Amino acid sequence: GLLATFAWLGGEMAGAPAARLLSVALFVVLATLASCSGGVFSGDTAAFAGLRKPDTASASPCPRLRSRGCGDASPLGPRRTQAAFTGVLGCRVHLSRGVQHGMRAVGQERVAVGKTLLGGRMRRGLGALAAVGSVKESKAYDGEQLRLLDADECILVNEKDEVVGSASKKFCHLMANIDQDKALHRAFSVFLFTDSGELVLQKRSDDKILFPGRWTNTVCSHPLHTPDELDDPPCPEATGVRRAAVRKLEHELGIPQGQVPANDLHFMTRIVYKAAVGEDDTWGEHEVDYILVGKGDASTPGLNPNEVSEVRMLKRGELEGLLQEEVRGEVMLSPWFKLIAQRWLPKWWDALLEGDLLREEDSGAIHKLP
């Protein structure tokens, strides 16, 4: 089994087409022999799932291996493909459908070690096995983030921000639903400033399914379809949204709920935008995003590593430099933060530093962005 795996991986690392073809052929030969000898294809293994342990009582076309059940390695019973070859053991060994099924399973199961070590080469290697069977790699998502996708019930709205129903966070962020205009939902983006006027930025954890590893504003999330956070009809004070913001400041950054009161978060405006996650086009955003701006004690006593990897205090004069870093590909920014930073953030920031943030409030408007 190990020889078969290294034969395939060796060809992938060599990179040459001929070497790849040779490695795939060698992989099939060695994997089949391993199957016959109770190797990598027997039983439930981490890399090749779905194959039963062979029935030792079954008849085998290979007398020398009959005691190991070579003939019934396939979960489909004794039926095998007609293709056959002569193995190094001097016996006629049939390539079973179970072996083909096992090859397909490479892409359907998490091959964690290979994925960690080889990254993109693992994906290309799986593609090279298409001649043996249809291979599709499944992305391994974080368990807690998957739980939240099912547990959180978002507020579905129309473009006037009128409540039309509810749906799971998962439903709201699948591009298949977004492309059909079924998933517009409420969200919020908090811009929290220190007493000295610095903006608290967070870098989204790599565990995040939606826009991992991006720098963004202090907190971004969703009010939930619960009595405390559902404003129906839309509330001019955004009472439920601000409660949700206080909840998420604690969940993501460890800021106790009394440290930044809801009333200290000013409801500035709303934007409607749509964006896909670039590196994983299964997911995206389509939101009516409430923008909340506040100033106060912005200390972050306990980051939640499943949500946030680090924080940064950004000075007013550094904003343009951050946007240029994104243009040069030195950092990644969330799409909503970039849109807000380019259009509204400079004037909000200046008003906040001048002590007159209220002059920029535009809470009655909904700005639809391309």
Side-chain angles (χ1 to χ4, degrees):
L2 287 175
L3 285 175
T5 303
F6 283 124
W8 168 46
L9 296 181
E12 269 307 290
M13 298 185 70
R20 288 179 177 174
L21 288 174
L22 182 60
S23 69
V24 170
L26 184 56
F27 180 89
V28 172
V29 172
L30 292 174
T32 304
L33 294 178
S35 170
C36 293
S37 58
V40 69
F41 289 103
S42 63
D44 279 332
T45 67
F48 301 94
L51 300 182
R52 294 197 299 266
K53 184 168 281 189
D55 181 1
T56 56
S58 302
S60 169
C62 177
R64 292 170 62 183
L65 298 178
R66 182 175 291 118
S67 62
R68 296 195 180 184
C70 171
D72 271 349
S74 169
L76 303 176
R79 294 174 297 169
R80 293 173 291 277
T81 63
Q82 297 304 311
F85 56 90
T86 302
V88 295
L89 297 178
C91 296
R92 181 178 171 83
V93 182
H94 289 260
L95 182 59
S96 69
R97 291 185 182 181
V99 171
Q100 295 181 31
H101 180 77
M103 297 291 286
R104 293 187 183 101
V106 174
Q108 297 167 354
E109 300 294 320
R110 286 176 56 186
V111 190
V113 175
K115 189 172 181 182
T116 301
L117 294 177
L118 298 178
R121 283 195 177 276
M122 174 64 79
R123 289 188 288 273
R124 293 193 294 274
L126 292 174
L129 293 176
V132 178
S134 175
V135 175
K136 182 177 180 182
E137 183 188 15
S138 64
K139 184 176 177 63
Y141 294 120
D142 177 79
E144 174 62 10
Q145 292 296 319
L146 284 174
R147 185 190 70 80
L148 292 173
L149 280 181
D150 290 325
D152 288 354
E153 193 76 3
C154 294
I155 303 168
L156 293 178
V157 296
N158 58 26
E159 290 193 350
K160 296 180 181 179
D161 194 28
E162 298 167 335
V163 177
V164 298
S166 68
S168 69
K169 183 178 175 182
K170 179 179 180 179
F171 178 94
C172 290
H173 292 89
L174 285 169
M175 283 304 300
N177 298 324
I178 293 171
D179 287 339
Q180 298 180 49
D181 291 326
K182 295 179 178 179
L184 182 61
H185 59 281
R186 275 191 194 149
F188 61 81
S189 293
V190 175
F191 290 75
L192 182 62
F193 294 83
T194 66
D195 289 328
S196 59
E198 295 176 321
L199 173 61
V200 182
L201 298 181
Q202 65 152 279
K203 187 176 184 183
R204 294 168 67 84
S205 170
D206 288 336
D207 290 338
K208 300 284 282 185
I209 295 172
L210 304 169
F211 302 98
R214 265 73 161 183
W215 282 99
T216 192
N217 46 284
T218 314
V219 162
C220 332
S221 191
H222 313 88
L224 301 180
H225 197 274
T226 63
D228 285 344
E229 299 181 8
L230 175 63
D231 293 327
D232 185 17
C235 174
E237 294 79 28
T239 304
V241 173
R242 290 191 294 173
R243 286 175 181 153
V246 170
R247 170 177 59 82
K248 289 300 289 185
L249 283 168
E250 182 172 42
H251 176 233
E252 296 191 9
L253 302 176
I255 296 176
Q257 295 197 18
Q259 184 173 313
V260 180
N263 289 337
D264 288 354
L265 299 174
H266 298 274
F267 173 28
M268 302 300 293
T269 194
R270 287 167 290 181
I271 65 171
V272 178
Y273 75 97
K274 184 185 292 187
V277 179
E279 66 271 33
D280 187 354
D281 58 7
T282 303
W283 307 98
E285 293 280 13
H286 191 198
E287 298 180 329
V288 175
D289 194 10
Y290 283 63
I291 314 303
L292 306 175
V293 176
K295 183 179 179 180
D297 183 359
S299 58
T300 54
L303 302 184
N304 180 348
N306 191 245
E307 297 284 339
V308 181
S309 60
E310 57 183 300
V311 295
R312 171 183 176 182
M313 305 298 176
L314 189 74
K315 294 181 171 59
R316 172 65 180 88
E318 297 173 335
L319 177 60
E320 184 59 33
L322 178 63
L323 293 174
Q324 289 304 312
E325 288 177 26
E326 195 268 345
V327 170
R328 295 192 298 267
E330 297 171 8
V331 299
M332 292 190 296
L333 303 178
S334 72
W336 60 90
F337 174 73
K338 182 179 177 180
L339 290 168
I340 294 167
Q342 290 173 329
R343 181 165 175 178
W344 289 283
L345 184 54
K347 61 181 182 180
W348 293 344
W349 206 330
D350 292 340
L352 181 134
L353 292 175
E354 294 167 10
D356 192 14
L357 185 60
L358 293 180
R359 77 182 188 218
E360 297 296 340
E361 280 191 4
D362 187 21
S363 57
I366 302 175
H367 303 274
K368 187 173 181 179
L369 303 180

